[in-house]
Amino acid sequence: SAPAAAPAPSPAPAGAASTVEGQAVCAPLPGLIVSVPVQVGQQVREGDVVAVLEAMKMENDITSPYAGTVKQVLVSKGASVAMNDPLVVIG
């Protein structure tokens, strides 16, 4: 097993919101969230659908560009999102 690394000092100022390690999957266009078929802790593979976004009367599957574990789900069914809004965080 790998030796545990000593904790590095955080560059964030005291009182900053804790950051979650991972990469956000963002909305490619503005629209309405129709469903979020993943939950925190779920394993996803590259290409798995993490949200369904309705835009211009069409449902668009939003897929994860990375494999990993869902760390945060930032939207829920019925939410309106803008282009580039983060939807889920994969770590």
Side-chain angles (χ1 to χ4, degrees):
S1 69
S10 174
S18 65
T19 56
V20 172
E21 292 295 314
Q23 306 214 252
V25 179
C26 297
L29 67 173
L32 184 73
I33 299 296
V34 178
S35 73
V36 183
V38 296
Q39 55 197 13
V40 172
Q42 183 175 331
Q43 295 287 323
V44 293
R45 292 189 302 271
E46 188 175 330
D48 283 0
V49 175
V50 296
V52 180
L53 178 71
E54 183 184 299
M56 297 173 283
K57 305 288 183 212
M58 291 175 50
E59 289 189 2
N60 301 277
D61 287 344
I62 310 304
T63 57
S64 176
Y66 347 91
T69 303
V70 177
K71 300 290 188 188
Q72 286 183 302
V73 176
L74 305 170
V75 293
S76 56
K77 182 177 177 177
S80 289
V81 295
M83 188 168 155
N84 296 324
D85 277 1
L87 305 176
V88 298
V89 176
I90 311 288

